[in-house]
Amino acid sequence: MRNFEFYSPTLYSFGDGQEKNVGALIRRFGGTKVLLVHYGGDFVKWTTAYDDVVSALNEAGIPYAELTGVQPNPRSDKVYEGIEIGRKENCDFVLALGGGSSIDCAKAVALGIPYDGDFWDFFSEKAKIETTLPVGVVLTIAASGSEGSGHCVITHENGNLKWGIPPTDVVRPKFAILNPRYTSTLPKYQIACGAFDMFSHVCERYFTRTPDVRLTDRISEALMRTAVEAGNEAVKDPSNYAAQADLMWIGNLAQNDSSGLGRIPEWSSHLIEHELSALFECAHGAGLAVVMPAWMQFAMPTGVMRFAQFAVEVWGCEMNWEHPEVTAQQGIDRTRAWAKGMGLPTTLGEVGATEADIPAIVAHRKEKGFPIGFYIPIKEEEMTEVLKLAL
Ligand code: NZQ
Ligand code: ZN
Protein backbone atom coordinates (compact mmCIF):
# COMPACT_ATOMS: atom_id res chain seq x y z
CA MET A 1 0.00 0.00 0.00
CA ARG A 2 1.29 3.47 -0.90
CA ASN A 3 1.16 6.52 1.35
CA PHE A 4 -2.04 8.53 1.05
CA GLU A 5 -4.05 11.43 2.43
CA PHE A 6 -7.81 11.03 2.59
CA TYR A 7 -10.10 13.96 3.33
CA SER A 8 -13.75 13.28 2.63
CA PRO A 9 -15.66 15.97 4.49
CA THR A 10 -19.15 15.36 3.04
CA LEU A 11 -21.94 14.83 5.56
CA TYR A 12 -24.33 12.09 4.38
CA SER A 13 -27.96 12.09 5.42
CA PHE A 14 -29.29 8.74 4.19
CA GLY A 15 -32.82 7.36 3.91
CA ASP A 16 -36.45 8.01 3.15
CA GLY A 17 -37.59 11.46 4.31
CA GLN A 18 -34.09 12.85 4.96
CA GLU A 19 -34.68 15.68 2.48
CA LYS A 20 -36.61 17.42 5.27
CA ASN A 21 -33.19 18.26 6.75
CA VAL A 22 -32.10 20.30 3.76
CA GLY A 23 -32.78 23.72 5.32
CA ALA A 24 -30.96 22.88 8.56
CA LEU A 25 -27.99 21.49 6.63
CA ILE A 26 -27.71 24.58 4.42
CA ARG A 27 -27.68 26.79 7.52
CA ARG A 28 -25.15 24.53 9.23
CA PHE A 29 -22.76 25.09 6.33
CA GLY A 30 -23.28 28.84 6.25
CA GLY A 31 -25.83 29.23 3.44
CA THR A 32 -28.33 32.09 3.61
CA LYS A 33 -29.43 32.28 -0.04
CA VAL A 34 -29.44 29.27 -2.33
CA LEU A 35 -29.01 28.70 -6.06
CA LEU A 36 -31.04 25.54 -6.74
CA VAL A 37 -29.66 23.66 -9.78
CA HIS A 38 -31.76 20.96 -11.47
CA TYR A 39 -32.97 19.43 -14.75
CA GLY A 40 -36.41 21.09 -14.83
CA GLY A 41 -38.85 19.73 -17.40
CA ASP A 42 -40.49 16.36 -16.85
CA PHE A 43 -38.23 15.52 -13.93
CA VAL A 44 -40.14 18.00 -11.79
CA LYS A 45 -43.38 16.12 -12.56
CA TRP A 46 -42.02 12.57 -12.34
CA THR A 47 -40.61 12.75 -8.84
CA THR A 48 -41.70 14.51 -5.68
CA ALA A 49 -38.08 15.50 -5.07
CA TYR A 50 -38.44 19.04 -6.44
CA ASP A 51 -41.62 19.79 -4.47
CA ASP A 52 -40.12 18.26 -1.32
CA VAL A 53 -36.96 20.37 -1.54
CA VAL A 54 -38.81 23.59 -2.31
CA SER A 55 -41.19 22.98 0.63
CA ALA A 56 -38.26 22.28 2.94
CA LEU A 57 -36.51 25.51 1.83
CA ASN A 58 -39.71 27.52 2.33
CA GLU A 59 -40.31 25.99 5.75
CA ALA A 60 -36.76 26.81 6.79
CA GLY A 61 -37.23 30.38 5.48
CA ILE A 62 -34.28 30.07 3.08
CA PRO A 63 -34.70 32.14 -0.10
CA TYR A 64 -33.59 30.61 -3.39
CA ALA A 65 -33.03 31.32 -7.07
CA GLU A 66 -33.11 28.57 -9.71
CA LEU A 67 -31.01 27.30 -12.58
CA THR A 68 -33.10 24.80 -14.54
CA GLY A 69 -32.70 22.85 -17.76
CA VAL A 70 -29.45 21.04 -16.94
CA GLN A 71 -28.93 18.33 -19.59
CA PRO A 72 -27.26 14.94 -19.16
CA ASN A 73 -23.53 15.45 -19.85
CA PRO A 74 -23.89 19.06 -18.64
CA ARG A 75 -22.69 21.85 -20.90
CA SER A 76 -20.87 25.12 -20.39
CA ASP A 77 -23.80 27.34 -21.43
CA LYS A 78 -25.70 26.31 -18.28
CA VAL A 79 -22.65 26.94 -16.15
CA TYR A 80 -22.28 30.50 -17.51
CA GLU A 81 -26.01 31.07 -16.98
CA GLY A 82 -25.78 29.76 -13.41
CA ILE A 83 -22.81 31.97 -12.58
CA GLU A 84 -24.74 35.00 -13.82
CA ILE A 85 -27.89 34.14 -11.85
CA GLY A 86 -25.90 33.29 -8.72
CA ARG A 87 -24.03 36.61 -8.80
CA LYS A 88 -27.10 38.70 -9.59
CA GLU A 89 -29.13 37.05 -6.82
CA ASN A 90 -26.27 37.15 -4.29
CA CYS A 91 -26.44 33.40 -3.66
CA ASP A 92 -23.91 32.09 -1.15
CA PHE A 93 -24.77 28.38 -1.42
CA VAL A 94 -25.38 26.09 -4.42
CA LEU A 95 -27.81 23.18 -4.01
CA ALA A 96 -27.82 20.47 -6.67
CA LEU A 97 -30.98 18.41 -7.12
CA GLY A 98 -30.53 15.37 -9.37
CA GLY A 99 -27.54 13.24 -10.37
CA GLY A 100 -24.05 13.69 -11.78
CA SER A 101 -25.15 16.24 -14.36
CA SER A 102 -26.93 18.55 -11.91
CA ILE A 103 -24.17 18.10 -9.35
CA ASP A 104 -21.30 18.77 -11.76
CA CYS A 105 -23.09 21.79 -13.17
CA ALA A 106 -23.62 23.03 -9.58
CA LYS A 107 -19.97 22.42 -8.71
CA ALA A 108 -18.79 24.34 -11.78
CA VAL A 109 -21.15 27.24 -11.02
CA ALA A 110 -19.92 27.29 -7.41
CA LEU A 111 -16.32 27.48 -8.67
CA GLY A 112 -17.16 30.20 -11.17
CA ILE A 113 -19.13 32.62 -8.95
CA PRO A 114 -16.18 33.74 -6.78
CA TYR A 115 -13.63 33.54 -9.64
CA ASP A 116 -12.73 36.62 -11.71
CA GLY A 117 -11.80 34.73 -14.88
CA ASP A 118 -13.55 32.11 -17.04
CA PHE A 119 -14.61 29.03 -15.04
CA TRP A 120 -13.22 26.88 -17.90
CA ASP A 121 -9.70 27.89 -16.80
CA PHE A 122 -10.04 25.21 -14.11
CA PHE A 123 -10.82 22.54 -16.71
CA SER A 124 -8.14 23.57 -19.18
CA GLU A 125 -5.78 23.76 -16.19
CA LYS A 126 -4.89 27.40 -16.81
CA ALA A 127 -5.86 28.15 -13.20
CA LYS A 128 -5.62 26.18 -9.96
CA ILE A 129 -8.76 25.58 -7.90
CA GLU A 130 -8.45 27.29 -4.54
CA THR A 131 -11.93 28.22 -3.44
CA THR A 132 -15.60 27.58 -4.16
CA LEU A 133 -19.02 28.45 -2.82
CA PRO A 134 -20.29 25.59 -0.66
CA VAL A 135 -22.32 22.94 -2.52
CA GLY A 136 -25.01 20.62 -1.14
CA VAL A 137 -26.76 17.75 -2.93
CA VAL A 138 -30.17 16.08 -2.92
CA LEU A 139 -29.50 12.95 -4.99
CA THR A 140 -32.12 11.41 -7.29
CA ILE A 141 -30.02 8.89 -9.25
CA ALA A 142 -27.31 6.56 -7.97
CA ALA A 143 -24.49 6.59 -10.51
CA SER A 144 -21.71 9.16 -10.70
CA GLY A 145 -20.82 9.42 -7.02
CA SER A 146 -20.34 13.15 -7.63
CA GLU A 147 -22.30 13.73 -4.40
CA GLY A 148 -19.12 12.91 -2.47
CA SER A 149 -16.36 13.15 -5.05
CA GLY A 150 -13.63 15.66 -5.77
CA HIS A 151 -14.38 15.42 -9.49
CA CYS A 152 -16.42 17.60 -11.84
CA VAL A 153 -16.95 16.98 -15.57
CA ILE A 154 -18.36 19.58 -18.00
CA THR A 155 -18.65 19.68 -21.79
CA HIS A 156 -17.58 23.02 -23.31
CA GLU A 157 -19.75 24.06 -26.24
CA ASN A 158 -16.74 25.46 -27.99
CA GLY A 159 -15.17 22.31 -29.44
CA ASN A 160 -17.49 19.86 -27.64
CA LEU A 161 -14.74 19.19 -25.10
CA LYS A 162 -15.86 16.93 -22.23
CA TRP A 163 -13.16 17.53 -19.67
CA GLY A 164 -12.80 17.11 -15.93
CA ILE A 165 -10.99 19.22 -13.37
CA PRO A 166 -7.91 17.73 -11.70
CA PRO A 167 -9.58 16.03 -8.69
CA THR A 168 -9.58 18.19 -5.56
CA ASP A 169 -11.19 18.00 -2.13
CA VAL A 170 -12.18 21.68 -2.53
CA VAL A 171 -15.19 20.68 -4.66
CA ARG A 172 -16.46 17.84 -2.48
CA PRO A 173 -20.01 18.72 -1.44
CA LYS A 174 -20.63 19.82 2.15
CA PHE A 175 -23.55 17.45 2.45
CA ALA A 176 -25.47 14.91 0.41
CA ILE A 177 -29.03 13.84 1.12
CA LEU A 178 -29.55 10.32 -0.20
CA ASN A 179 -33.17 9.19 -0.35
CA PRO A 180 -33.30 5.89 -2.27
CA ARG A 181 -37.08 6.32 -2.68
CA TYR A 182 -36.44 9.06 -5.24
CA THR A 183 -34.74 6.63 -7.61
CA SER A 184 -37.88 4.49 -8.01
CA THR A 185 -39.10 6.82 -10.80
CA LEU A 186 -35.95 6.31 -12.91
CA PRO A 187 -36.31 4.64 -16.30
CA LYS A 188 -34.77 1.13 -16.13
CA TYR A 189 -32.15 2.18 -18.68
CA GLN A 190 -30.92 4.96 -16.38
CA ILE A 191 -30.76 2.56 -13.43
CA ALA A 192 -28.64 0.21 -15.54
CA CYS A 193 -26.38 3.08 -16.65
CA GLY A 194 -25.91 4.08 -13.04
CA ALA A 195 -25.10 0.55 -11.86
CA PHE A 196 -22.53 0.12 -14.62
CA ASP A 197 -20.99 3.52 -13.92
CA MET A 198 -20.43 2.76 -10.23
CA PHE A 199 -19.08 -0.72 -11.09
CA SER A 200 -16.64 0.99 -13.48
CA HIS A 201 -15.54 3.47 -10.81
CA VAL A 202 -14.43 0.51 -8.72
CA CYS A 203 -12.77 -1.18 -11.74
CA GLU A 204 -10.80 1.98 -12.49
CA ARG A 205 -9.19 1.61 -9.05
CA TYR A 206 -9.14 -2.18 -8.84
CA PHE A 207 -7.01 -2.67 -11.95
CA THR A 208 -3.72 -1.52 -10.49
CA ARG A 209 -0.14 -2.71 -10.40
CA THR A 210 0.37 -1.47 -6.83
CA PRO A 211 1.26 -4.48 -4.65
CA ASP A 212 -0.09 -5.25 -1.15
CA VAL A 213 -3.57 -3.79 -1.52
CA ARG A 214 -5.51 -6.72 -0.03
CA LEU A 215 -7.92 -4.65 2.06
CA THR A 216 -8.96 -2.28 -0.72
CA ASP A 217 -9.20 -5.26 -3.08
CA ARG A 218 -11.73 -6.89 -0.76
CA ILE A 219 -13.69 -3.67 -0.30
CA SER A 220 -13.74 -3.31 -4.10
CA GLU A 221 -14.85 -6.88 -4.72
CA ALA A 222 -17.73 -6.49 -2.23
CA LEU A 223 -18.79 -3.23 -3.90
CA MET A 224 -18.72 -4.78 -7.38
CA ARG A 225 -20.55 -7.97 -6.36
CA THR A 226 -23.26 -5.96 -4.65
CA ALA A 227 -23.56 -3.53 -7.58
CA VAL A 228 -24.22 -6.50 -9.86
CA GLU A 229 -26.88 -8.02 -7.57
CA ALA A 230 -28.58 -4.76 -6.68
CA GLY A 231 -28.35 -3.47 -10.26
CA ASN A 232 -30.15 -6.55 -11.58
CA GLU A 233 -32.81 -6.31 -8.85
CA ALA A 234 -33.45 -2.59 -9.31
CA VAL A 235 -33.66 -2.88 -13.11
CA LYS A 236 -36.21 -5.66 -12.68
CA ASP A 237 -38.21 -3.70 -10.12
CA PRO A 238 -37.34 -0.01 -9.70
CA SER A 239 -39.53 0.16 -6.59
CA ASN A 240 -37.25 -2.31 -4.75
CA TYR A 241 -36.13 -0.02 -1.92
CA ALA A 242 -33.47 -2.38 -0.56
CA ALA A 243 -31.77 -2.69 -3.95
CA GLN A 244 -31.98 1.05 -4.64
CA ALA A 245 -30.58 1.77 -1.16
CA ASP A 246 -27.60 -0.50 -1.85
CA LEU A 247 -26.99 1.21 -5.19
CA MET A 248 -27.19 4.65 -3.63
CA TRP A 249 -24.53 3.90 -1.06
CA ILE A 250 -22.30 1.90 -3.45
CA GLY A 251 -22.40 4.85 -5.86
CA ASN A 252 -20.87 7.00 -3.18
CA LEU A 253 -18.30 4.49 -1.88
CA ALA A 254 -17.24 3.68 -5.43
CA GLN A 255 -16.29 7.26 -6.22
CA ASN A 256 -15.37 9.01 -2.96
CA ASP A 257 -12.07 7.09 -3.23
CA SER A 258 -12.45 4.78 -0.21
CA SER A 259 -11.76 1.81 -2.48
CA GLY A 260 -8.85 3.50 -4.25
CA LEU A 261 -6.67 4.57 -1.34
CA GLY A 262 -3.00 3.61 -1.34
CA ARG A 263 -2.94 2.39 -4.93
CA ILE A 264 -2.31 3.84 -8.38
CA PRO A 265 -5.64 3.78 -10.24
CA GLU A 266 -6.35 3.29 -13.94
CA TRP A 267 -8.99 5.71 -15.45
CA SER A 268 -8.45 5.39 -19.21
CA SER A 269 -11.89 3.80 -19.83
CA HIS A 270 -13.50 6.89 -18.33
CA LEU A 271 -11.43 9.27 -20.41
CA ILE A 272 -12.14 7.29 -23.58
CA GLU A 273 -15.84 7.18 -22.69
CA HIS A 274 -16.00 10.94 -22.23
CA GLU A 275 -15.25 11.23 -25.94
CA LEU A 276 -18.22 8.99 -26.76
CA SER A 277 -20.69 10.88 -24.58
CA ALA A 278 -19.38 14.22 -25.92
CA LEU A 279 -19.46 13.23 -29.60
CA PHE A 280 -22.38 10.78 -29.70
CA GLU A 281 -24.42 12.04 -26.74
CA CYS A 282 -24.84 8.65 -25.13
CA ALA A 283 -25.40 8.32 -21.39
CA HIS A 284 -22.08 8.07 -19.52
CA GLY A 285 -22.88 4.60 -18.08
CA ALA A 286 -23.89 3.33 -21.52
CA GLY A 287 -20.62 4.54 -23.03
CA LEU A 288 -18.74 2.78 -20.25
CA ALA A 289 -20.55 -0.50 -20.99
CA VAL A 290 -19.03 -0.22 -24.47
CA VAL A 291 -15.52 0.87 -23.45
CA MET A 292 -14.79 -0.86 -20.13
CA PRO A 293 -15.03 -4.50 -21.34
CA ALA A 294 -13.04 -3.55 -24.48
CA TRP A 295 -10.32 -2.00 -22.30
CA MET A 296 -10.33 -5.15 -20.14
CA GLN A 297 -9.83 -7.24 -23.26
CA PHE A 298 -6.95 -5.00 -24.28
CA ALA A 299 -5.28 -4.98 -20.86
CA MET A 300 -5.84 -8.57 -19.72
CA PRO A 301 -2.79 -10.16 -21.43
CA THR A 302 -0.54 -7.81 -19.40
CA GLY A 303 -2.11 -8.75 -16.07
CA VAL A 304 -3.67 -12.18 -16.32
CA MET A 305 -3.60 -12.98 -12.60
CA ARG A 306 -5.33 -9.73 -11.59
CA PHE A 307 -8.05 -10.32 -14.18
CA ALA A 308 -8.38 -13.92 -12.98
CA GLN A 309 -8.78 -12.64 -9.40
CA PHE A 310 -11.51 -10.29 -10.67
CA ALA A 311 -13.26 -13.24 -12.36
CA VAL A 312 -13.11 -15.42 -9.26
CA GLU A 313 -13.88 -12.86 -6.55
CA VAL A 314 -16.43 -10.70 -8.39
CA TRP A 315 -18.05 -13.19 -10.74
CA GLY A 316 -17.59 -16.45 -8.84
CA CYS A 317 -15.71 -18.11 -11.74
CA GLU A 318 -13.68 -21.22 -10.99
CA MET A 319 -9.91 -20.67 -11.04
CA ASN A 320 -8.11 -22.54 -13.79
CA TRP A 321 -4.56 -22.68 -12.40
CA GLU A 322 -3.17 -24.29 -15.52
CA HIS A 323 -4.72 -21.68 -17.82
CA PRO A 324 -5.48 -18.57 -15.71
CA GLU A 325 -6.15 -16.62 -18.92
CA VAL A 326 -9.27 -18.77 -19.40
CA THR A 327 -10.58 -17.66 -16.01
CA ALA A 328 -9.57 -14.05 -16.74
CA GLN A 329 -11.50 -14.15 -20.00
CA GLN A 330 -14.60 -15.46 -18.24
CA GLY A 331 -14.59 -12.38 -15.97
CA ILE A 332 -14.53 -10.07 -18.99
CA ASP A 333 -17.29 -12.05 -20.71
CA ARG A 334 -19.43 -11.97 -17.57
CA THR A 335 -18.98 -8.18 -17.27
CA ARG A 336 -20.14 -7.66 -20.85
CA ALA A 337 -23.03 -10.10 -20.43
CA TRP A 338 -24.18 -8.31 -17.27
CA ALA A 339 -24.28 -4.97 -19.11
CA LYS A 340 -26.17 -6.54 -22.01
CA GLY A 341 -28.59 -8.28 -19.65
CA MET A 342 -29.49 -4.92 -18.11
CA GLY A 343 -30.25 -3.55 -21.57
CA LEU A 344 -27.05 -1.55 -22.10
CA PRO A 345 -25.13 -1.23 -25.36
CA THR A 346 -21.81 -3.08 -25.54
CA THR A 347 -20.62 -2.10 -29.03
CA LEU A 348 -19.70 1.22 -30.62
CA GLY A 349 -22.41 0.72 -33.23
CA GLU A 350 -25.07 0.74 -30.53
CA VAL A 351 -24.08 4.27 -29.46
CA GLY A 352 -24.01 5.49 -33.04
CA ALA A 353 -20.29 5.25 -33.84
CA THR A 354 -18.63 3.28 -36.63
CA GLU A 355 -15.10 2.10 -37.32
CA ALA A 356 -14.68 5.09 -39.62
CA ASP A 357 -15.29 7.43 -36.64
CA ILE A 358 -12.41 6.02 -34.60
CA PRO A 359 -9.65 8.37 -35.91
CA ALA A 360 -11.83 11.41 -35.15
CA ILE A 361 -12.65 10.13 -31.65
CA VAL A 362 -8.94 9.63 -30.94
CA ALA A 363 -8.02 13.03 -32.41
CA HIS A 364 -10.66 14.70 -30.24
CA ARG A 365 -9.08 13.20 -27.12
CA LYS A 366 -5.68 14.45 -28.29
CA GLU A 367 -6.80 18.03 -27.63
CA LYS A 368 -6.57 17.28 -23.90
CA GLY A 369 -3.50 15.11 -24.30
CA PHE A 370 -1.97 11.65 -24.04
CA PRO A 371 -0.98 9.35 -22.39
CA ILE A 372 -4.04 8.43 -20.34
CA GLY A 373 -4.38 5.65 -17.78
CA PHE A 374 -1.85 4.09 -15.46
CA TYR A 375 -2.35 0.32 -15.76
CA ILE A 376 -1.19 0.62 -19.35
CA PRO A 377 -0.31 4.13 -20.58
CA ILE A 378 -2.61 4.74 -23.52
CA LYS A 379 -1.68 6.90 -26.49
CA GLU A 380 -3.31 7.24 -29.92
CA GLU A 381 -2.38 3.76 -31.08
CA GLU A 382 -3.59 1.99 -27.94
CA MET A 383 -6.82 4.04 -27.80
CA THR A 384 -7.50 3.04 -31.39
CA GLU A 385 -6.97 -0.59 -30.45
CA VAL A 386 -9.35 -0.37 -27.47
CA LEU A 387 -12.03 1.21 -29.64
CA LYS A 388 -11.58 -1.48 -32.29
CA LEU A 389 -12.18 -4.10 -29.60
CA ALA A 390 -15.54 -2.41 -29.00
CA LEU A 391 -16.76 -2.81 -32.57
O1 NZQ B 1 -33.39 14.98 -17.98
P1 NZQ B 1 -34.50 14.13 -17.49
O2 NZQ B 1 -35.30 13.55 -18.56
O3 NZQ B 1 -35.27 14.75 -16.42
O4 NZQ B 1 -33.80 12.81 -16.84
C1 NZQ B 1 -32.92 12.85 -15.74
C2 NZQ B 1 -31.51 12.93 -16.26
O5 NZQ B 1 -31.42 13.55 -17.48
C3 NZQ B 1 -33.01 11.48 -15.15
N1 NZQ B 1 -33.34 11.44 -13.73
C4 NZQ B 1 -32.51 11.71 -12.70
N2 NZQ B 1 -33.12 11.41 -11.56
C5 NZQ B 1 -34.36 10.96 -11.88
C6 NZQ B 1 -34.49 10.99 -13.27
N3 NZQ B 1 -35.60 10.56 -13.91
C7 NZQ B 1 -36.61 10.10 -13.16
N4 NZQ B 1 -36.54 10.02 -11.80
C8 NZQ B 1 -35.44 10.44 -11.13
N5 NZQ B 1 -35.37 10.30 -9.81
O6 NZQ B 1 -31.76 10.85 -15.32
C9 NZQ B 1 -31.08 11.50 -16.38
C10 NZQ B 1 -29.60 11.27 -16.19
O7 NZQ B 1 -29.13 12.06 -15.11
P2 NZQ B 1 -27.60 12.45 -15.00
O8 NZQ B 1 -27.48 13.42 -13.89
O9 NZQ B 1 -27.06 12.80 -16.32
O10 NZQ B 1 -26.97 11.01 -14.59
P3 NZQ B 1 -25.67 10.62 -13.87
O11 NZQ B 1 -25.82 10.71 -12.40
O12 NZQ B 1 -25.30 9.32 -14.46
O13 NZQ B 1 -24.60 11.72 -14.28
C11 NZQ B 1 -23.88 11.65 -15.47
C12 NZQ B 1 -22.86 12.78 -15.53
O14 NZQ B 1 -21.92 12.67 -14.44
C13 NZQ B 1 -20.58 12.68 -14.98
C14 NZQ B 1 -20.77 12.01 -16.31
O15 NZQ B 1 -19.68 12.20 -17.16
C15 NZQ B 1 -22.04 12.68 -16.80
O16 NZQ B 1 -21.76 13.95 -17.33
N6 NZQ B 1 -19.68 12.04 -14.02
C16 NZQ B 1 -19.31 12.72 -12.94
C17 NZQ B 1 -18.44 12.21 -12.00
C18 NZQ B 1 -18.05 12.96 -10.81
N7 NZQ B 1 -18.28 14.27 -10.80
O17 NZQ B 1 -17.46 12.41 -9.85
C19 NZQ B 1 -17.84 10.87 -12.16
C20 NZQ B 1 -18.47 10.04 -13.24
O18 NZQ B 1 -17.50 9.15 -13.72
C21 NZQ B 1 -19.02 10.80 -14.38
O19 NZQ B 1 -18.00 11.13 -15.32
ZN1 ZN C 1 -18.21 7.34 -14.27
Side-chain angles (χ1 to χ4, degrees), residues 269-280:
S269 294
H270 261 71
L271 298 179
I272 296 173
E273 189 297 310
H274 287 168
E275 299 307 326
L276 296 187
S277 44
L279 297 172
F280 302 93

Side-chain angles (χ1 to χ4, degrees), residues 39 43 72 100-101 104 140 146 149 162 182 185 201 255 270 284:
Y39 311 110
F43 167 81
S101 298
D104 284 2
T140 66
S146 184
S149 82
K162 186 173 182 182
Y182 285 151
T185 53
H201 292 159
Q255 179 67 349
H270 261 71
H284 170 62

Side-chain angles (χ1 to χ4, degrees), residues 14 19 32 37 71 73 77 100 118 122 151 208 234 240 251 264 310:
F14 189 98
E19 63 284 350
T32 60
V37 178
Q71 306 273 339
N73 305 314
D77 60 340
D118 183 345
F122 300 125
H151 298 249
T208 182
N240 182 334
I264 298 179
F310 168 73

Side-chain angles (χ1 to χ4, degrees), residues 279-301:
L279 297 172
F280 302 93
E281 293 189 14
C282 59
H284 170 62
L288 283 170
V290 174
V291 175
M292 192 88 233
W295 175 84
M296 288 179 177
Q297 199 65 62
F298 172 75
M300 188 266 275

Side-chain angles (χ1 to χ4, degrees), residues 65-329:
E66 286 185 68
L67 174 68
T68 70
V70 177
Q71 306 273 339
N73 305 314
R75 303 184 78 81
S76 52
D77 60 340
K78 276 291 147 192
V79 179
Y80 291 119
E81 188 186 332
I83 292 169
E84 206 178 308
I85 299 172
R87 284 181 181 158
K88 196 165 133 233
E89 299 283 341
N90 289 317
C91 297
D92 56 13
F93 195 97
V94 184
L95 180 64
L97 171 64
S101 298
S102 291
I103 303 167
D104 284 2
C105 185
K107 284 177 174 175
V109 168
L111 286 171
I113 289 176
Y115 178 61
D116 278 343
D118 183 345
F119 89 92
W120 191 248
D121 292 349
F122 300 125
F123 292 74
S124 60
E125 297 181 42
K126 272 195 204 141
K128 190 171 178 299
I129 293 173
E130 268 154 17
T131 188
T132 176
L133 287 192
V135 173
V137 174
V138 178
L139 192 66
T140 66
I141 169 171
S144 70
S146 184
E147 65 275 13
S149 82
H151 298 249
C152 174
V153 188
I154 298 290
T155 304
H156 204 288
E157 318 271 53
N158 188 2
N160 218 3
L161 306 172
K162 186 173 182 182
W163 290 358
I165 54 165
T168 165
D169 295 335
V170 174
V171 305
R172 291 197 195 239
K174 296 289 178 215
F175 69 80
I177 294 177
L178 312 177
N179 179 352
R181 188 80 61 202
Y182 285 151
T183 60
S184 65
T185 53
L186 279 164
K188 291 184 175 194
Y189 187 73
Q190 286 293 348
I191 297 173
C193 287
F196 201 88
D197 186 20
M198 60 185 80
F199 183 92
S200 303
H201 292 159
V202 185
C203 287
E204 298 281 22
R205 295 164 166 103
Y206 186 76
F207 290 104
T208 182
R209 299 195 195 273
T210 309
D212 302 327
V213 288
R214 180 172 54 192
L215 174 64
T216 39
D217 269 2
R218 288 180 180 168
I219 293 171
S220 301
E221 287 153 0
L223 290 172
M224 288 189 276
R225 279 206 301 270
T226 318
V228 171
E229 282 170 22
N232 287 338
E233 289 162 8
V235 166
K236 193 163 163 219
D237 175 12
S239 70
N240 182 334
Y241 183 89
Q244 297 282 23
D246 276 342
L247 287 178
M248 212 165 220
W249 193 235
I250 296 166
N252 171 64
L253 292 177
Q255 179 67 349
N256 81 346
D257 219 20
S258 8
S259 64
L261 301 170
R263 52 168 74 206
I264 298 179
E266 169 33 35
W267 286 116
S268 56
S269 294
H270 261 71
L271 298 179
I272 296 173
E273 189 297 310
H274 287 168
E275 299 307 326
L276 296 187
S277 44
L279 297 172
F280 302 93
E281 293 189 14
C282 59
H284 170 62
L288 283 170
V290 174
V291 175
M292 192 88 233
W295 175 84
M296 288 179 177
Q297 199 65 62
F298 172 75
M300 188 266 275
T302 72
V304 170
M305 291 313 287
R306 178 139 282 266
F307 279 88
Q309 179 185 331
F310 168 73
V312 171
E313 300 297 337
V314 177
W315 293 108
C317 301
E318 205 176 311
M319 184 64 195
N320 183 334
W321 289 105
E322 221 166 297
H323 296 290
E325 71 283 1
V326 171
T327 312
Q329 185 60 47

